[in-house]
Amino acid sequence: AEIMAESVAKLKELAQRDHERMMLEEARNKVESYIYKIKNKLVDDEEEIGKVSTEEQRAALSKLSEDAEEWMYEDGYDADIATFEDKYVELSTPAEMIFFRMAESTARPEAIKDLRAKLNKVEDLMTKWETTMPQVTEEERTDVLGKVEEVRKWIADKEDAQALLKASEDAAFVSVDCPLQTKSLEALVARLNRKPKPKPPKVEKNETEATNETDATNETDATEATNETQTGGEATGTNEEPASTTGEEETAKADDTSESSTEEKVGE
Protein backbone atom coordinates (compact mmCIF):
# COMPACT_ATOMS: atom_id res chain seq x y z
CA ALA A 1 0.00 0.00 0.00
CA GLU A 2 2.85 2.36 0.86
CA ILE A 3 4.59 1.65 -2.46
CA MET A 4 1.31 2.24 -4.30
CA ALA A 5 0.82 5.60 -2.58
CA GLU A 6 4.36 6.69 -3.44
CA SER A 7 3.79 5.71 -7.07
CA VAL A 8 0.59 7.71 -7.24
CA ALA A 9 2.28 10.75 -5.70
CA LYS A 10 5.15 10.44 -8.15
CA LEU A 11 2.80 10.29 -11.11
CA LYS A 12 0.95 13.37 -9.89
CA GLU A 13 4.23 15.24 -9.52
CA LEU A 14 5.29 14.30 -13.04
CA ALA A 15 1.91 15.34 -14.43
CA GLN A 16 2.18 18.71 -12.65
CA ARG A 17 5.65 19.29 -14.08
CA ASP A 18 4.43 18.48 -17.59
CA HIS A 19 1.57 20.90 -17.16
CA GLU A 20 3.86 23.69 -15.95
CA ARG A 21 6.27 23.02 -18.79
CA MET A 22 3.46 23.28 -21.33
CA MET A 23 2.16 26.50 -19.75
CA LEU A 24 5.66 28.00 -19.79
CA GLU A 25 6.12 27.05 -23.44
CA GLU A 26 2.77 28.59 -24.29
CA ALA A 27 3.67 31.86 -22.54
CA ARG A 28 7.04 31.98 -24.29
CA ASN A 29 5.45 31.39 -27.71
CA LYS A 30 2.85 34.06 -27.04
CA VAL A 31 5.53 36.70 -26.42
CA GLU A 32 7.64 35.60 -29.35
CA SER A 33 4.68 35.62 -31.73
CA TYR A 34 3.69 39.12 -30.66
CA ILE A 35 7.22 40.40 -31.25
CA TYR A 36 6.99 39.24 -34.87
CA LYS A 37 3.47 40.63 -35.17
CA ILE A 38 4.76 44.11 -34.28
CA LYS A 39 7.65 43.86 -36.71
CA ASN A 40 5.42 42.69 -39.57
CA LYS A 41 2.73 45.30 -38.91
CA LEU A 42 5.22 48.15 -38.97
CA VAL A 43 6.35 47.01 -42.41
CA ASP A 44 3.18 45.64 -44.04
CA ASP A 45 0.82 48.38 -42.79
CA GLU A 46 3.37 51.18 -42.77
CA GLU A 47 1.10 53.69 -44.56
CA GLU A 48 -2.01 53.02 -42.47
CA ILE A 49 -0.05 53.01 -39.20
CA GLY A 50 1.66 56.21 -40.26
CA LYS A 51 -1.73 57.95 -40.41
CA VAL A 52 -2.66 57.12 -36.81
CA SER A 53 0.69 57.41 -35.04
CA THR A 54 3.59 59.78 -34.68
CA GLU A 55 7.12 59.01 -35.72
CA GLU A 56 8.12 58.86 -32.05
CA GLN A 57 5.36 56.33 -31.30
CA ARG A 58 6.43 54.10 -34.18
CA ALA A 59 10.12 54.33 -33.22
CA ALA A 60 9.33 53.48 -29.59
CA LEU A 61 7.26 50.49 -30.65
CA SER A 62 9.97 49.23 -33.00
CA LYS A 63 12.62 49.50 -30.27
CA LEU A 64 10.34 47.77 -27.81
CA SER A 65 10.00 44.75 -30.11
CA GLU A 66 13.77 44.62 -30.79
CA ASP A 67 14.60 44.78 -27.09
CA ALA A 68 12.06 42.06 -26.36
CA GLU A 69 13.58 39.84 -29.04
CA GLU A 70 17.05 40.19 -27.52
CA TRP A 71 15.64 39.53 -24.07
CA MET A 72 14.03 36.31 -25.32
CA TYR A 73 17.44 34.78 -26.07
CA GLU A 74 19.21 36.18 -23.01
CA ASP A 75 17.45 36.80 -19.70
CA GLY A 76 14.16 35.48 -20.99
CA TYR A 77 15.58 32.07 -21.76
CA ASP A 78 15.11 30.94 -18.16
CA ALA A 79 12.18 33.25 -17.30
CA ASP A 80 9.10 31.88 -15.55
CA ILE A 81 5.46 32.14 -16.61
CA ALA A 82 4.75 35.31 -14.64
CA THR A 83 7.73 37.09 -16.24
CA PHE A 84 6.57 36.16 -19.74
CA GLU A 85 3.07 37.38 -18.98
CA ASP A 86 4.45 40.73 -17.80
CA LYS A 87 6.57 41.00 -20.95
CA TYR A 88 3.48 40.38 -23.12
CA VAL A 89 1.60 43.20 -21.41
CA GLU A 90 4.60 45.49 -21.86
CA LEU A 91 4.60 44.79 -25.59
CA SER A 92 0.88 44.65 -26.36
CA THR A 93 -0.32 47.74 -24.48
CA PRO A 94 1.29 50.41 -26.70
CA ALA A 95 1.06 48.26 -29.84
CA GLU A 96 -2.68 47.56 -29.50
CA MET A 97 -3.41 51.26 -29.05
CA ILE A 98 -1.86 51.98 -32.46
CA PHE A 99 -3.40 48.93 -34.13
CA PHE A 100 -6.83 49.82 -32.72
CA ARG A 101 -6.64 53.39 -34.01
CA MET A 102 -5.71 52.00 -37.41
CA ALA A 103 -8.75 49.69 -37.47
CA GLU A 104 -11.06 52.42 -36.18
CA SER A 105 -9.94 54.87 -38.86
CA THR A 106 -12.12 52.90 -41.30
CA ALA A 107 -14.60 51.22 -38.97
CA ARG A 108 -15.78 54.47 -37.36
CA PRO A 109 -16.88 56.22 -40.60
CA GLU A 110 -18.66 53.06 -41.72
CA ALA A 111 -20.50 52.86 -38.40
CA ILE A 112 -21.61 56.50 -38.73
CA LYS A 113 -22.80 55.84 -42.28
CA ASP A 114 -24.87 52.85 -41.16
CA LEU A 115 -26.30 54.82 -38.25
CA ARG A 116 -27.43 57.68 -40.50
CA ALA A 117 -29.02 55.20 -42.93
CA LYS A 118 -30.97 53.65 -40.05
CA LEU A 119 -32.24 57.07 -38.95
CA ASN A 120 -33.36 57.86 -42.50
CA LYS A 121 -35.35 54.62 -42.62
CA VAL A 122 -37.09 55.46 -39.36
CA GLU A 123 -38.07 58.90 -40.69
CA ASP A 124 -39.44 57.37 -43.90
CA LEU A 125 -41.36 54.84 -41.84
CA MET A 126 -43.03 57.55 -39.78
CA THR A 127 -44.17 59.27 -42.98
CA LYS A 128 -45.58 55.99 -44.28
CA TRP A 129 -47.37 55.32 -41.01
CA GLU A 130 -49.40 58.52 -41.43
CA THR A 131 -51.60 56.61 -43.88
CA THR A 132 -50.92 52.94 -43.17
CA MET A 133 -50.93 52.95 -39.35
CA PRO A 134 -53.79 55.18 -38.19
CA GLN A 135 -53.60 53.62 -34.74
CA VAL A 136 -50.23 55.35 -34.20
CA THR A 137 -51.01 58.88 -33.13
CA GLU A 138 -49.28 62.02 -34.32
CA GLU A 139 -47.91 62.50 -30.82
CA GLU A 140 -46.32 59.05 -30.90
CA ARG A 141 -44.76 59.65 -34.32
CA THR A 142 -43.44 62.98 -33.08
CA ASP A 143 -41.87 61.21 -30.11
CA VAL A 144 -40.06 58.83 -32.48
CA LEU A 145 -38.80 61.68 -34.65
CA GLY A 146 -37.60 63.47 -31.53
CA LYS A 147 -35.42 60.51 -30.62
CA VAL A 148 -34.07 60.47 -34.17
CA GLU A 149 -32.96 64.08 -33.75
CA GLU A 150 -31.29 63.23 -30.45
CA VAL A 151 -29.16 60.60 -32.18
CA ARG A 152 -28.33 63.00 -35.01
CA LYS A 153 -27.14 65.51 -32.44
CA TRP A 154 -24.97 62.83 -30.81
CA ILE A 155 -23.36 62.14 -34.18
CA ALA A 156 -22.70 65.84 -34.79
CA ASP A 157 -21.19 66.32 -31.33
CA LYS A 158 -18.91 63.31 -31.65
CA GLU A 159 -17.75 64.24 -35.13
CA ASP A 160 -16.97 67.77 -33.95
CA ALA A 161 -15.00 66.39 -30.99
CA GLN A 162 -13.12 63.97 -33.23
CA ALA A 163 -12.22 66.76 -35.63
CA LEU A 164 -10.36 68.54 -32.80
CA LEU A 165 -8.17 65.49 -32.14
CA LYS A 166 -5.08 64.31 -33.92
CA ALA A 167 -5.19 60.94 -35.64
CA SER A 168 -2.46 59.76 -33.29
CA GLU A 169 -4.63 60.47 -30.23
CA ASP A 170 -7.36 58.32 -28.75
CA ALA A 171 -10.66 58.82 -30.58
CA ALA A 172 -13.63 60.74 -29.17
CA PHE A 173 -15.78 57.67 -29.82
CA VAL A 174 -15.43 54.20 -31.28
CA SER A 175 -17.43 52.29 -33.87
CA VAL A 176 -19.19 50.04 -31.37
CA ASP A 177 -20.72 53.13 -29.73
CA CYS A 178 -22.86 53.87 -32.80
CA PRO A 179 -25.36 50.98 -32.74
CA LEU A 180 -25.96 51.58 -29.04
CA GLN A 181 -27.44 55.02 -29.74
CA THR A 182 -30.62 53.60 -31.35
CA LYS A 183 -31.49 50.91 -28.81
CA SER A 184 -34.30 52.89 -27.16
CA LEU A 185 -35.47 54.19 -30.54
CA GLU A 186 -35.71 50.69 -31.99
CA ALA A 187 -37.62 49.49 -28.93
CA LEU A 188 -40.15 52.35 -29.30
CA VAL A 189 -40.70 51.70 -33.01
CA ALA A 190 -41.14 47.96 -32.36
CA ARG A 191 -43.73 48.66 -29.66
CA LEU A 192 -45.72 51.01 -31.89
CA ASN A 193 -45.56 48.54 -34.75
CA ARG A 194 -47.36 45.99 -32.57
CA LYS A 195 -50.15 48.41 -31.77
CA PRO A 196 -53.43 46.85 -33.03
CA LYS A 197 -55.56 48.60 -35.61
CA PRO A 198 -58.90 50.00 -34.36
CA LYS A 199 -61.98 47.85 -35.02
CA PRO A 200 -64.43 49.29 -37.61
CA PRO A 201 -67.51 50.94 -35.98
CA LYS A 202 -70.75 48.93 -35.94
CA VAL A 203 -73.50 50.24 -38.29
CA GLU A 204 -76.84 50.53 -36.42
CA LYS A 205 -80.01 50.09 -38.53
CA ASN A 206 -82.73 52.74 -38.17
CA GLU A 207 -86.47 52.02 -37.89
CA THR A 208 -87.21 52.73 -41.57
CA GLU A 209 -84.53 50.26 -42.78
CA ALA A 210 -85.85 47.59 -40.41
CA THR A 211 -89.47 48.11 -41.69
CA ASN A 212 -88.39 47.92 -45.32
CA GLU A 213 -86.50 44.69 -44.65
CA THR A 214 -89.59 43.21 -42.95
CA ASP A 215 -91.85 44.19 -45.89
CA ALA A 216 -89.41 42.75 -48.37
CA THR A 217 -89.29 39.50 -46.41
CA ASN A 218 -93.11 39.29 -46.31
CA GLU A 219 -93.37 39.91 -50.05
CA THR A 220 -90.83 37.17 -50.69
CA ASP A 221 -92.75 34.72 -48.51
CA ALA A 222 -96.05 35.58 -50.26
CA THR A 223 -94.53 35.11 -53.69
CA GLU A 224 -93.10 31.75 -52.72
CA ALA A 225 -96.51 30.64 -51.35
CA THR A 226 -98.30 31.68 -54.55
CA ASN A 227 -95.82 29.78 -56.68
CA GLU A 228 -96.30 26.69 -54.58
CA THR A 229 -100.16 26.94 -54.96
CA GLN A 230 -99.95 27.28 -58.74
CA THR A 231 -97.59 24.38 -58.93
CA GLY A 232 -100.00 22.23 -56.92
CA GLY A 233 -102.96 23.15 -59.20
CA GLU A 234 -101.08 22.24 -62.32
CA ALA A 235 -100.19 18.91 -60.81
CA THR A 236 -103.89 18.23 -60.04
CA GLY A 237 -105.07 19.12 -63.57
CA THR A 238 -102.54 16.80 -65.07
CA ASN A 239 -103.83 13.89 -63.04
CA GLU A 240 -107.55 14.53 -64.08
CA GLU A 241 -106.99 14.45 -67.87
CA PRO A 242 -106.30 10.72 -68.09
CA ALA A 243 -109.55 10.08 -66.15
CA SER A 244 -111.60 12.02 -68.76
CA THR A 245 -110.01 10.09 -71.57
CA THR A 246 -110.90 6.77 -69.97
CA GLY A 247 -114.61 7.77 -69.75
CA GLU A 248 -114.82 8.61 -73.43
CA GLU A 249 -113.32 5.25 -74.36
CA GLU A 250 -115.90 3.40 -72.25
CA THR A 251 -118.79 5.32 -73.96
CA ALA A 252 -117.42 4.45 -77.40
CA LYS A 253 -117.26 0.75 -76.48
CA ALA A 254 -120.89 0.85 -75.31
CA ASP A 255 -122.04 2.37 -78.61
CA ASP A 256 -120.19 -0.31 -80.55
CA THR A 257 -121.92 -3.06 -78.53
CA SER A 258 -125.35 -1.49 -79.09
CA GLU A 259 -124.77 -1.30 -82.84
CA SER A 260 -123.73 -4.96 -82.96
CA SER A 261 -126.94 -6.04 -81.20
CA THR A 262 -129.13 -4.09 -83.61
CA GLU A 263 -127.44 -5.61 -86.66
CA GLU A 264 -128.03 -9.11 -85.28
CA LYS A 265 -131.71 -8.40 -84.76
CA VAL A 266 -132.02 -7.01 -88.29
CA GLY A 267 -130.38 -10.12 -89.68
CA GLU A 268 -132.87 -12.37 -87.93
Side-chain angles (χ1 to χ4, degrees), residues 42-178:
L42 291 175
V43 175
D44 297 340
D45 299 326
E46 180 179 3
E47 184 177 354
E48 289 77 10
I49 289 179
K51 295 177 181 178
V52 296
S53 62
T54 63
E55 184 176 352
E56 290 76 13
Q57 289 173 338
R58 294 190 298 275
L61 186 58
S62 178
K63 187 176 186 308
L64 189 63
S65 64
E66 291 174 358
D67 291 345
E69 187 175 17
E70 292 180 4
W71 174 85
M72 283 285 297
Y73 299 105
E74 294 178 1
D75 297 340
Y77 186 81
D78 295 324
D80 57 11
I81 295 176
T83 303
F84 276 116
E85 290 177 346
D86 291 341
K87 182 59 69 173
Y88 180 82
V89 173
E90 180 184 344
L91 282 168
S92 63
T93 299
E96 287 301 317
M97 292 176 66
I98 294 177
F99 299 158
F100 182 73
R101 288 200 299 269
M102 181 181 70
E104 281 292 301
S105 65
T106 56
R108 193 168 50 248
E110 283 297 321
I112 289 293
K113 179 181 177 182
D114 293 343
L115 182 55
R116 284 198 171 103
K118 184 181 294 185
L119 296 178
N120 291 338
K121 287 182 179 180
V122 172
E123 289 177 328
D124 292 342
L125 185 62
M126 291 304 102
T127 301
K128 182 179 179 181
W129 278 8
E130 292 179 9
T131 55
T132 62
M133 295 279 284
Q135 66 271 32
V136 178
T137 66
E138 182 179 356
E139 182 180 357
E140 289 171 328
R141 294 195 304 272
T142 301
D143 187 22
V144 171
L145 295 176
K147 291 186 178 299
V148 170
E149 289 305 313
E150 290 177 4
V151 179
R152 289 193 185 281
K153 185 178 184 305
W154 179 88
I155 293 174
D157 291 343
K158 292 301 180 181
E159 287 185 327
D160 290 343
Q162 182 62 36
L164 299 176
L165 298 173
K166 295 180 180 179
S168 58
E169 297 176 330
D170 292 339
F173 69 103
V174 293
S175 58
V176 295
D177 292 336
C178 296

Side-chain angles (χ1 to χ4, degrees), residues 17 40 137 159 161 204 239-240 258 261:
R17 288 180 181 179
N40 292 335
T137 66
E159 287 185 327
E204 296 182 0
N239 293 333
E240 288 176 354
S258 177
S261 299

Side-chain angles (χ1 to χ4, degrees), residues 173-241:
F173 69 103
V174 293
S175 58
V176 295
D177 292 336
C178 296
L180 300 178
Q181 305 310 310
T182 57
K183 289 298 182 183
S184 61
L185 174 61
E186 292 171 9
L188 176 58
V189 172
R191 180 175 61 80
L192 294 177
N193 191 44
R194 293 191 299 268
K195 194 174 182 181
K197 290 185 177 181
K199 295 181 179 179
K202 293 183 179 179
V203 179
E204 296 182 0
K205 298 176 182 178
N206 55 39
E207 185 177 350
T208 303
E209 290 176 343
T211 302
N212 291 339
E213 286 187 0
T214 302
D215 293 343
T217 302
N218 292 338
E219 289 178 4
T220 301
D221 293 343
T223 301
E224 291 177 352
T226 302
N227 291 338
E228 290 178 358
T229 302
Q230 291 176 352
T231 302
E234 291 174 358
T236 303
T238 302
N239 293 333
E240 288 176 354
E241 285 180 0

